[in-house]
Amino acid sequence: MLPLLLSGLLVTAPLSVSRTPALLEGARAGSTVPAEGGGVIVRIDSELAVLVSGDRGQVTRVVLAFNTQSPSYPYALPDLGSRLGRLAREYAMLCFRLPAGDRKVLGERIWQALRNPDTDFPEFWSYGPLTVELSALVEGGYSRTLGDSGVVDVPPEVSVRVTLERAAAPGWVPGCRWK
C-alpha cells in the first residue's frame, strides 16, 4: 500500500524543468538563462529555444520559438511542425496535465498548420483552460547575382512560435517549476 501511495505522490508532484531532460530534448540545466520579465529560456539548439515562465516559479506559460535564416536550416516545414508538435505535447502533458487525446490533437494541429502554407497565422485554440497560439512567418529563399561573384542562394527566413498558457487558478497546481 505504501509504495502505491508514494508512486501517486511522485506522479502528482511538480516537475523541475532542470530535472526533465526528455522534456527539453536533452538540454542541460546549464543551458538555461533568466528571461527578461521572469522565467527562464532554455536553448535546445542554435535555432530553437523554450521560454518557461509563471507565477512564483510555477510554469503557467511555455513558448516554443524557432527562428532562422541560415544554410543550416535542416527542416522542411512539416518536419519542423512535427518537432514542435512533439515538444508542445510533452509540455502540455507534464506541465499542464492535458489529457492524452487532447495532446495528440494538439501535436497534429501544429503539424497540419505548418504543413499547409496557406494557413492564416496566428491561429488560436483552447483545451478547456489551456490556450494555444501558433504564429508563423515564412519568407521564401531566393537566388541573386552579385557582380563577379556569381549566384548566391539566400535561404528562407522562418520564424515559428507556439505558446501554451494556462492562467493560475485556485486548486490547480502546475506540473512544472522553473525555479
Side-chain angles (χ1 to χ4, degrees), residues 77 112-121 123:
L77 273 181
Q112 284 287 350
L114 291 178
R115 190 172 155 263
N116 181 0
D118 298 329
T119 303
D120 290 328
F121 292 107
E123 277 200 11

Side-chain angles (χ1 to χ4, degrees), residues 43-122:
R43 289 236 167 259
I44 305 284
D45 57 35
S46 63
E47 296 163 339
L48 177 61
V50 180
L51 166 67
V52 290
S53 60
D55 190 32
R56 292 174 300 210
Q58 295 184 335
V59 175
T60 58
R61 186 169 196 251
V62 173
V63 179
L64 309 171
F66 182 94
N67 296 291
T68 184
Q69 184 179 6
S70 71
S72 69
Y73 174 56
Y75 309 101
L77 273 181
D79 295 335
L80 177 58
S82 178
R83 184 178 186 203
L84 290 174
R86 281 193 312 273
L87 266 177
R89 281 196 319 261
E90 291 293 318
Y91 277 100
M93 176 183 70
L94 293 172
C95 297
F96 302 111
R97 297 187 178 103
L98 192 64
D102 289 338
R103 286 194 307 269
K104 182 178 179 186
V105 171
L106 167 67
E108 287 176 359
R109 188 159 182 181
I110 292 169
W111 177 75
Q112 284 287 350
L114 291 178
R115 190 172 155 263
N116 181 0
D118 298 329
T119 303
D120 290 328
F121 292 107

